[in-house]
Amino acid sequence: MSKAELLTRTKAFALRILKLVDHLPRTTSGRAIGNQVVRSGTSVGTNYRAACRSRSRAEFAAKLGLVAEAADEAVYWLEVIRDGNLFPSNKLTELLKEVDELTAIFTAGRRSSSRSQTSNLKHQK
């Protein structure tokens, strides 16, 4: 998947999260969980944009780690929303699938970048 496609996909994910939060109950728990899922869900895209501007492979790998962490945290909060019956679970299915895929993509990218960095260091010695 290209950088442009991932930038588009992570922004679309953030926009979907914002729409979801607008439909959560206006209760104390709904607002608290909504704030958390907005923070983590929008961080996926912002941290990926920052990773794309990295100055080195090591910095890129580290920032991809942040992207993967934000995506995994978004999974958690979406599961809390689903399991707490704060939103119809059938409407969360596609969003959970998307964030699971994003988590896998960025986790694999981080691992690959870290291996490349380690390999480069071994060849320099």
Side-chain angles (χ1 to χ4, degrees), residues 17 25 27 36-37 46 49 55-57 59 68 71 82 86 90 97-99 111 123:
I17 289 291
T27 61
Q36 293 295 326
V37 76
T46 58
R49 285 176 61 110
R55 295 171 296 233
S56 67
R57 280 190 179 266
E59 185 179 355
R82 180 196 62 207
L86 299 174
N90 62 327
K97 181 180 177 215
E98 175 67 358
V99 74
R111 286 183 184 142
H123 292 299

Side-chain angles (χ1 to χ4, degrees), residues 8 12 26 38 44 53 66 73 84 90 115 117:
T8 299
R26 303 279 184 218
V38 163
V44 174
R53 289 173 177 74
L66 294 174
E73 184 179 341
N90 62 327
R115 276 195 302 270
Q117 181 65 24

Side-chain angles (χ1 to χ4, degrees), residues 24-90:
L24 290 178
R26 303 279 184 218
T27 61
T28 302
S29 60
R31 284 189 300 275
I33 293 167
N35 288 336
Q36 293 295 326
V37 76
V38 163
R39 188 184 55 74
S40 60
T42 57
S43 289
V44 174
T46 58
N47 284 319
Y48 181 62
R49 285 176 61 110
C52 290
R53 289 173 177 74
S54 296
R55 295 171 296 233
S56 67
R57 280 190 179 266
E59 185 179 355
F60 181 73
K63 289 187 181 203
L64 277 189
L66 294 174
V67 177
E69 285 179 28
D72 187 55
E73 184 179 341
V75 169
Y76 174 81
W77 290 115
L78 289 171
E79 289 173 348
V80 168
I81 290 168
R82 180 196 62 207
D83 297 347
N85 297 313
L86 299 174
F87 196 78
S89 62
N90 62 327

Side-chain angles (χ1 to χ4, degrees), residues 100-117:
D100 278 336
E101 289 176 13
L102 289 171
T103 302
I105 289 167
F106 291 119
T107 299
R110 181 188 50 79
R111 286 183 184 142
S112 177
S113 292
S114 294
R115 276 195 302 270
S116 295
Q117 181 65 24

